[in-house]
Amino acid sequence: MEQNQHKPRQAADQEFQKSLEQLEDILQENLDEDQGTPPVRNESKNEVELVEDLTVIDLAALEDAVADIEEYLDKKTK
């Protein structure tokens, strides 16, 4: 009986993985369009490009996020 359950689960897992890959492709395409760069998959980027991507941070957005976290923690501890 376990083998009968394993096959549908495996098929569902494969379908789920395929859907995740499609979603990743769509999100990457949208990100590339927003940045005005040609589509490039993350796997093909070298380490320098990844570091450059990580260093482009909106400081105001980061400060807002920190403020939100601090506010949440203050409320939680009271």
Side-chain angles (χ1 to χ4, degrees):
M1 183 156 72
E2 288 182 21
Q3 288 180 346
N4 291 339
Q5 291 177 344
H6 183 69
K7 288 181 182 181
R9 287 182 182 173
Q10 187 176 17
D13 180 55
Q14 289 175 348
E15 191 64 31
F16 180 72
Q17 292 298 328
K18 182 179 174 182
S19 296
L20 284 178
E21 289 173 6
Q22 290 173 345
L23 177 60
E24 182 182 55
D25 290 343
I26 291 168
L27 292 174
Q28 184 63 44
E29 287 173 9
N30 289 341
L31 179 64
D32 291 338
E33 288 174 4
D34 290 344
Q35 293 177 350
T37 59
V40 177
R41 293 207 33 108
N42 285 339
E43 294 85 13
S44 66
K45 289 186 175 183
N46 64 34
E47 189 173 330
V48 173
E49 290 172 326
L50 290 174
V51 170
E52 288 174 357
D53 287 348
L54 293 175
T55 57
V56 178
I57 297 174
D58 182 3
L59 186 56
L62 183 59
E63 290 172 344
D64 289 343
V66 170
D68 290 343
I69 292 169
E70 288 174 344
E71 182 181 343
Y72 168 77
L73 292 174
D74 287 343
K75 287 180 181 178
K76 189 172 182 176
T77 56
K78 291 183 179 178

